[in-house]
């Protein structure tokens, strides 16, 4: 930091806002925020071209050299000024290059990453204290004064499609034993596999999958964490949808790692396999330049997860899903940069426990 030749550059990934009458500056990649004097903004603008501290002292001659240097040190601490060509600068550039079309709005994705979770083993009374003081909002909406047309309740379904929908539950207990590789293959192929191809205007040949995808861009990828799969070594695999095969990755798969990935929820470490869903945002961004399309990527992950849960249910397995994830830990484990491809959702399966959660009563 003390080197006179050191050149600094403002982080591209930063945002300024007012909170409680104070100016807040945030680097939404590193999530460092700090309260700043509005004068600091001029300094940040100056460093959008790489400069040394001496350059800044000269340019801001109306201020004492010591005060300019102090402000710069604070900006470096807050990672709003980065050492030019450093590893941090490169990561900042990667974000700018990969997400440029959706920034700053999609900075939300990065600002909210690695959120802290309430420890699962806290007593319920302690957890309750975290809820809003007011009672929970009404679970159902009613519209006063509107005419109401009664609907006959559908006859109990005998069709396996409706039965599967009703039978799906989130499982947190699993029987010991392994799931078959055939079931894993079926889950992967049904949820993420290519069912065929069609020719779309503008974009050309695109895959059909069982879930819809905005612009048929299919940004979703999936990684299998095999913990107890018959005939498959425990480990991490990437599912290659085009060839319907698994590519082995160096990462490790243990109950502890699985639970840690899912915000230390111990029950998910007892599952037989985790299906870690990520998105390659560039696929969707290429077609949709507006940040609103970020929502499309999230929605699609939900489609995939529901297909997964229903398929697992139909196979007689015990599925679950969780969005309580330790994003950076997972991305490091999968060897992802967390920028061009990020984790969004995790689903998993185990064998049905002896006493699975009861399905809803037929009349509900
Ligand atoms: C986006 C999402 C995130 C969830 N995250 C968790 C989680 O972190 N841990 C958990 O035990 N269940 C999680 N669940 C499951 C819900 O708790 C469950 O769906 C809900 O209690 C209703 O039960 P059911 O799935 O059996 O109908 C999640 C569900 C969704 C849709």
């Amino acid at each position: 930091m003390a080197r006179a030749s050191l050149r600094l550059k403002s982080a591209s990934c930063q945002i300024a806002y007012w909170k409680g009458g104070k100016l807040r500056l945030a680097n939404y990649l590193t999530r460092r925020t700090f309260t700043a004097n509005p004068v600091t903004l001029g300094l940040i603008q100056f460093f959008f071209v790489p400069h040394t501290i001496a350059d800044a002292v000269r340019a801001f001659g109306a201020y004492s050299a010591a005060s300019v240097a102090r402000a710069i040190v604070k900006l470096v601490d807050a990672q709003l000024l980065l050492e030019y060509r450093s590893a941090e600068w490169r990561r900042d550039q990667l974000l700018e290059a990969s997400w440029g079309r959706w920034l700053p709005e999609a900075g939300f994705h990065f600002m909210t990453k690695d959120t802290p979770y309430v420890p699962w083993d806290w007593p319920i009374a302690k957890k309750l204290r975290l809820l809003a003081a007011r009672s929970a909002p009404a679970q159902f909406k009613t519209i006063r004064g509107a005419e109401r047309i009664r609907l006959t309740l559908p006859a109990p379904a005998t069709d396996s499609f409706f039965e599967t929908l009703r039978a799906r539950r989130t499982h947190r207990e699993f029987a010991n034993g392994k799931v078959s590789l055939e079931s894993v293959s079926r889950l992967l192929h049904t949820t993420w596999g290519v069912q065929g191809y069609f020719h779309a205007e503008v974009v050309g040949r695109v895959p059909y999958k069982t879930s819809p995808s905005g612009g048929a861009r299919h940004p979703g990828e999936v990684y299998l964490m095999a913990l107890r799969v018959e005939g498959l070594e425990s480990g991490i695999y990437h599912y290659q949808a085009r060839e319907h095969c698994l590519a082995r990755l160096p990462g490790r798969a243990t109950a502890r790692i699985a639970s840690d990935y899912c915000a230390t929820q111990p029950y998910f470490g007892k599952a037989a396999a985790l299906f870690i869903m990520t998105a390659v945002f560039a696929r969707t961004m290429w077609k949709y330049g507006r940040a609103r399309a970020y929502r499309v990527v999230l929605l699609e992950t939900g489609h995939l997860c529901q297909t997964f849960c229903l398929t697992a249910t139909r196979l007689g397995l015990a599925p679950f899903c969780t969005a309580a994830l330790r994003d950076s830990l997972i991305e490091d484990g999968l060897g992802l940069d967390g920028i061009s491809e990020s984790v969004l959702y995790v689903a998993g399966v185990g064998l049905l426990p002896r006493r699975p959660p009861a399905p809803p009563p037929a009349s509900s």
Side-chain angles (χ1 to χ4, degrees):
M1 175 59 214
R3 274 184 291 130
S5 60
L6 184 81
R7 287 202 295 162
L8 298 170
K9 166 121 178 37
S10 293
S12 309
C13 308
Q14 58 176 291
I15 196 156
Y17 57 95
W18 294 92
K19 193 160 189 176
K22 293 194 168 134
L23 178 68
R24 301 280 299 166
L25 301 177
N27 176 324
Y28 49 75
L29 182 54
T30 62
R31 293 183 294 278
R32 300 281 294 275
T33 54
F34 94 123
T35 302
N37 183 320
V39 174
T40 317
L41 294 176
L43 203 52
I44 292 173
Q45 188 181 28
F46 175 76
F47 278 106
F48 269 104
V49 173
H51 282 298
T52 63
I53 297 176
D55 293 336
V57 168
R58 269 193 302 278
F60 290 83
Y63 300 90
S64 75
S67 69
V68 173
R70 262 199 311 277
I72 291 173
V73 168
K74 277 191 188 162
L75 289 170
V76 170
D77 279 349
Q79 293 178 314
L80 296 169
L81 289 187
L82 307 172
E83 183 178 344
Y84 187 48
R85 298 197 187 286
S86 64
E88 293 74 28
W89 173 81
R90 265 180 251 287
R91 222 171 135 66
D92 181 72
Q93 292 298 295
L94 177 64
L95 181 60
E96 175 72 6
S98 328
W99 282 71
R101 296 187 86 189
W102 286 1
L103 294 177
E105 297 91 325
F108 166 85
H109 176 81
F110 294 96
M111 287 286 271
T112 55
K113 247 179 126 164
D114 294 324
T115 196
Y117 296 99
V118 172
W120 69 274
D121 55 351
W122 270 18
I124 195 78
K126 197 167 173 183
K127 286 181 181 166
L128 283 173
R129 280 201 290 276
L130 289 182
L131 293 179
R134 278 170 288 143
S135 52
Q139 188 91 61
F140 299 101
K141 179 171 174 173
T142 50
I143 299 176
R144 272 206 211 121
E147 185 195 355
R148 295 211 275 187
I149 296 101
R150 287 220 166 272
L151 302 170
T152 51
L153 210 58
T158 48
D159 178 298
S160 69
F161 172 72
F162 296 108
E163 278 176 354
T164 302
L165 284 172
R166 280 175 55 80
R168 183 212 55 81
R169 289 274 70 81
T170 297
H171 291 261
R172 298 176 186 88
E173 282 178 31
F174 311 97
N176 284 329
K178 297 182 168 185
V179 298
S180 69
L181 184 55
E182 195 189 339
S183 294
V184 167
S185 168
R186 168 77 73 179
L187 284 162
L188 288 167
H189 191 259
T190 307
T191 311
W192 294 276
V194 176
Q195 309 295 320
Y197 289 92
F198 71 101
H199 191 88
E201 256 181 30
V202 185
V203 294
R205 188 173 187 252
V206 282
Y208 273 124
K209 298 204 175 184
T210 53
S211 290
S213 171
R217 302 307 303 142
H218 295 290
E221 291 289 327
V222 67
Y223 296 82
L224 171 71
M225 181 188 268
L227 293 156
R228 280 178 289 146
V229 180
E230 191 78 58
L232 187 66
E233 242 181 78
S234 80
I236 306 279
Y237 300 83
H238 173 246
Y239 176 59
Q240 316 230 300
R242 186 174 46 200
E243 296 85 9
H244 183 60
C245 68
L246 293 170
R248 180 93 198 244
L249 298 178
R252 284 187 325 121
T254 65
R256 176 68 189 271
I257 297 173
S259 159
D260 282 353
Y261 278 11
C262 303
T264 332
Q265 298 178 82
Y267 17 82
F268 298 147
K270 294 181 187 141
L274 260 53
F275 295 75
I276 303 169
M277 288 174 254
T278 66
V280 177
F281 298 95
R283 290 190 199 141
T284 301
M285 212 178 286
W286 174 76
K287 184 160 184 202
Y288 304 111
R290 306 270 181 205
R292 185 69 164 173
Y294 173 69
R295 195 161 77 152
V296 169
V297 180
L298 302 187
L299 292 170
E300 289 181 27
T301 318
H303 281 294
L304 293 166
C305 194
Q306 178 71 345
T307 302
F308 172 89
C309 290
L310 292 174
T311 306
T313 305
R314 184 71 179 86
L315 292 174
L317 296 171
F320 67 87
C321 57
T322 173
L325 306 175
R326 293 180 62 194
D327 312 63
S328 295
L329 188 74
I330 299 176
E331 287 160 1
D332 286 350
L334 300 180
L336 305 176
D337 62 30
I339 293 177
S340 53
E341 184 177 348
S342 292
V343 65
L344 291 178
Y345 209 178
V346 168
V349 278
L351 295 182
L352 270 183
R354 213 145 15 119
R355 256 176 290 140
S363 60
S364 65

